[in-house]
Amino acid sequence: MKKNTKKWSERFSEPTSEIVKRYTASVNFDQRLAVFDIEGSLAHAEMLKKQKIISVTDFNAITKGLKQIKKEIIAQKFKWSIDLEDVHINIENRLTKIVGVAGKKLHTGRSRNDQVATDMRLYLREVVDLTINQIKILQKETLNLAEKHIMTIMPGMTHLQIAQPVSFAHHLHAYYEMLERDKARFEDARKRINILPLGAAALAGTSYPIDRKFVAKLLKFDSVMENSIDAVSDRDFLIEYNANASILMTHLSRWSEELIMWSSPFFEFIEISDSFCTGSSIMPQKKNPDVPELVRGKVGRVNGHLLSLLTLMKGQPLAYNKDNQEDKEPIFDVADTISDTLTIFAEMISKLTIFPDNMEAAALKGYSTATDLADYLVKKGMTFREAHGVVAKVVKFAINKQCELSEVELKSFQKFSKLIDKDVFDCLTLKGSIKSRKHIGGTAFNTVKAANKQAKQKMKN
Ligand code: ARG
């Protein structure tokens, strides 16, 4: 290995050791911020020109140089150097090589501390917009599937035991609602991301006559950060994004778990399209639901990154500390993971095959209209608690007889309560049970149909 002879600056008497250089450099991963870094630098330079802090000639040279660098980076011709530590120094160094002394003026009134905070916010703003859009696409696919299955009956579960019959669309709408809240959380977080830190310089601001509001306008930030110390040290916009991503992934993991169960031969409610499954290297008959399993598994890394970021910030004294460099890899991975997950999930949902008959057959199995029988007795004058006790006895009787509630004869029913008449059979059917739950948020077919329409309308706005 070539021996390093370069000192960090003239303040130092020894060169940086090789291992320290490698340990402290971030260029291998923060080069991903390059386009945002250039965007921020272009706005900063324009402000310096407007405020007459640099000349028009220098500004023109800087702009030209930065645009060339952007092209080099996009064409993958830019030579990144670990000797130049991070994306910021790499670009500034190259700029000076291209345009000479003007390049050395770009950093006037700025520090890497406010620069990197700006880059991260520009990056995350783009990411959060993508996330919001991808959630919308998944919501649309969910509503499309639900629209086709308003009349499909499935066993609603509690404790993974058959509880009460529901419309399959109603079940899908539950996920639509979770995604609606996820989306709102990202939209809200965006407000706190889209504020400009630049101008804070190292931490205390700068003595140059800068115009921060002008830079904010150029970079389409809603406002400027009010406190320079906070501006360079705050990373809670990243933690918030990650926390929102964790909640989103948690929702998707629940859905994944259901897809895995539903596609197993014990349920056979659905089939996941072949393009989303893989086989086994030993068992030729296998078709494994790898995609939902991986979604479930990837929650681990997203949650892990959240813990990394929280731990990274815990107890950090103000203002900027190098610890913050560790914010990048987790957040990049979170953004990539949820972007891929949302894309793949939406496609998987659009290609699901549903077996309504199997769902309905399962709903018929588990005495799922027992609550309806209790409600029937209450409507005939019994208290609910008493009715609950009577129906528990009827269910026990049916279990012993190995028959469903709707197969119990009227005279047997009447042994349990004289209030029971032949109209009881109306409430024991799955359809009757579903139709009766017609309040807002209930599973009645018409209610679900209206909910689907309303949600679709909302998505159009
Ligand atoms: N690479 C650094 C980071 O990601 C940039 C800021 C460096 N600032 C400093 N004072 N060393 O945080």
Side-chain angles (χ1 to χ4, degrees):
M1 201 193 294
K2 206 172 85 217
K3 198 165 169 346
N4 189 22
T5 52
K6 200 171 161 284
K7 293 182 285 182
W8 209 96
S9 75
E10 286 310 313
R11 185 230 178 277
F12 292 79
S13 18
E14 275 187 314
T16 320
S17 92
E18 279 306 321
I19 173 96
V20 169
K21 215 166 65 183
R22 200 154 41 77
Y23 196 70
T24 54
S26 54
V27 65
N28 286 341
F29 50 86
D30 69 11
Q31 54 180 266
R32 201 169 155 157
L33 295 172
V35 284
F36 304 102
D37 195 68
I38 291 172
E39 195 185 340
S41 288
L42 285 168
H44 179 65
E46 195 162 339
M47 183 277 291
L48 292 178
K49 175 193 73 170
K50 179 179 92 71
Q51 297 300 96
K52 303 200 172 17
I53 301 168
I54 60 169
S55 70
V56 175
T57 321
D58 286 340
F59 167 72
N60 288 340
I62 290 171
T63 310
K64 196 171 142 262
L66 286 174
K67 286 186 176 159
Q68 180 183 326
I69 293 172
K70 188 174 171 185
K71 279 192 195 137
E72 290 172 3
I73 292 169
I74 290 169
Q76 294 186 350
K77 293 209 170 100
F78 191 90
K79 286 202 180 60
W80 298 101
S81 162
I82 181 176
D83 287 333
L84 298 169
E85 203 176 308
D86 57 23
V87 59
H88 323 292
I89 305 184
N90 267 270
I91 291 178
E92 194 186 312
N93 197 276
R94 174 79 186 126
L95 180 67
T96 305
K97 285 226 166 77
I98 301 173
V99 305
V101 75
K104 295 186 180 179
K105 298 184 185 172
L106 173 61
H107 213 52
T108 313
R110 172 176 93 164
S111 151
R112 277 186 298 158
N113 297 353
D114 57 345
Q115 189 179 355
V116 73
T118 305
D119 290 5
M120 286 303 276
R121 281 170 186 273
L122 286 170
Y123 161 79
L124 203 65
R125 182 176 70 187
E126 193 172 287
V127 164
V128 85
D129 287 342
L130 178 71
T131 308
I132 292 166
N133 260 328
Q134 290 186 309
I135 292 177
K136 282 188 194 158
I137 293 168
L138 177 55
Q139 282 184 302
K140 277 187 194 145
E141 291 300 349
T142 309
L143 292 176
N144 286 344
L145 182 64
E147 194 177 23
K148 287 185 224 143
H149 290 284
I150 309 239
M151 297 303 293
T152 299
I153 298 173
M154 72 176 282
M157 313 233 184
T158 60
H159 312 271
L160 201 58
Q161 305 289 328
I162 295 172
Q164 291 171 341
V166 293
S167 151
F168 180 47
H170 193 52
H171 190 98
L172 291 170
H173 283 176
Y175 285 111
Y176 162 81
E177 292 292 337
M178 289 177 230
L179 291 169
E180 189 66 6
R181 290 192 296 275
D182 289 329
K183 190 175 69 187
R185 263 185 286 273
F186 283 111
E187 282 166 351
D188 201 56
R190 193 191 194 280
K191 296 181 203 152
R192 284 173 290 280
I193 294 169
N194 204 30
I195 309 178
L196 177 77
L198 207 65
L203 79 161
T206 174
S207 57
Y208 296 99
I210 58 170
D211 183 348
R212 297 185 67 205
K213 287 194 173 155
F214 178 73
V215 179
K217 211 168 154 206
L218 287 179
L219 293 173
K220 299 194 174 66
F221 280 104
D222 296 329
S223 56
V224 298
M225 290 189 78
E226 292 289 340
N227 180 291
S228 63
I229 297 175
D230 181 43
V232 291
S233 65
D234 163 44
R235 293 293 181 273
D236 49 59
F237 66 103
L238 299 176
I239 297 175
E240 196 177 351
Y241 178 82
N242 198 345
N244 294 345
S246 284
I247 300 175
L248 166 70
M249 286 299 285
T250 301
H251 289 154
L252 296 183
S253 81
R254 298 184 72 180
W255 200 348
S256 295
E257 173 65 15
E258 297 205 317
L259 296 178
I260 293 162
M261 283 190 308
W262 294 345
S263 62
S264 89
F266 304 108
F267 280 79
E268 276 199 305
F269 285 4
I270 61 162
E271 186 173 355
I272 299 171
S273 134
D274 282 1
S275 50
F276 287 81
C277 297
T278 62
S280 153
S281 59
I282 175 168
M283 297 166 284
Q285 84 284 12
K286 288 295 291 289
K287 177 174 154 184
N288 298 327
D290 294 43
V291 169
E293 283 172 344
L294 269 174
V295 172
R296 199 175 54 181
K298 281 179 192 288
V299 187
R301 65 201 285 163
V302 175
N303 288 357
H305 292 318
L306 176 60
L307 199 62
S308 297
L309 293 179
L310 286 167
T311 313
L312 169 70
M313 289 315 285
K314 182 191 171 295
Q316 249 197 62
L318 299 178
Y320 175 87
N321 301 283
K322 187 79 166 181
D323 314 37
N324 290 350
Q325 184 165 289
E326 288 289 309
D327 63 359
K328 293 178 191 61
E329 286 163 294
I331 212 71
F332 292 158
D333 190 58
V334 169
D336 293 345
T337 303
I338 65 169
S339 170
D340 284 352
T341 302
L342 285 166
T343 307
I344 208 164
F345 213 95
E347 210 181 317
M348 178 171 64
I349 293 300
S350 76
K351 290 183 177 160
L352 282 185
T353 307
I354 312 296
F355 302 122
D357 292 350
N358 293 354
M359 284 190 179
E360 185 161 343
L364 273 171
K365 269 186 212 154
Y367 305 101
S368 64
T369 53
T371 318
D372 299 86
L373 178 55
D375 292 342
Y376 169 90
L377 288 169
V378 170
K379 282 170 201 156
K380 298 253 168 169
M382 202 181 270
T383 65
F384 183 78
R385 211 25 81 210
E386 212 183 325
H388 188 282
V390 170
V391 178
K393 286 185 198 149
V394 177
V395 169
K396 191 169 180 193
F397 171 81
I399 291 171
N400 286 334
K401 280 246 169 196
Q402 294 190 334
C403 69
E404 294 305 318
L405 283 183
S406 55
E407 290 162 359
V408 175
E409 285 173 28
L410 183 59
K411 58 178 191 312
S412 305
F413 268 129
Q414 285 171 337
K415 283 194 197 126
F416 294 98
S417 169
K418 289 275 165 288
L419 293 173
I420 301 180
D421 216 333
K422 59 179 183 306
D423 60 349
V424 74
F425 294 100
D426 297 338
C427 85
L428 294 180
T429 65
L430 299 178
K431 279 207 172 86
S433 166
I434 290 181
K435 276 187 193 159
S436 67
R437 290 161 163 75
K438 53 186 180 227
H439 51 79
I440 299 172
T443 189
F445 301 117
N446 284 338
T447 310
V448 176
K449 196 171 171 188
N452 190 277
K453 208 170 146 198
Q454 193 185 321
K456 282 201 151 182
Q457 194 54 43
K458 197 171 163 196
M459 298 251 21
K460 276 194 200 138
N461 301 332

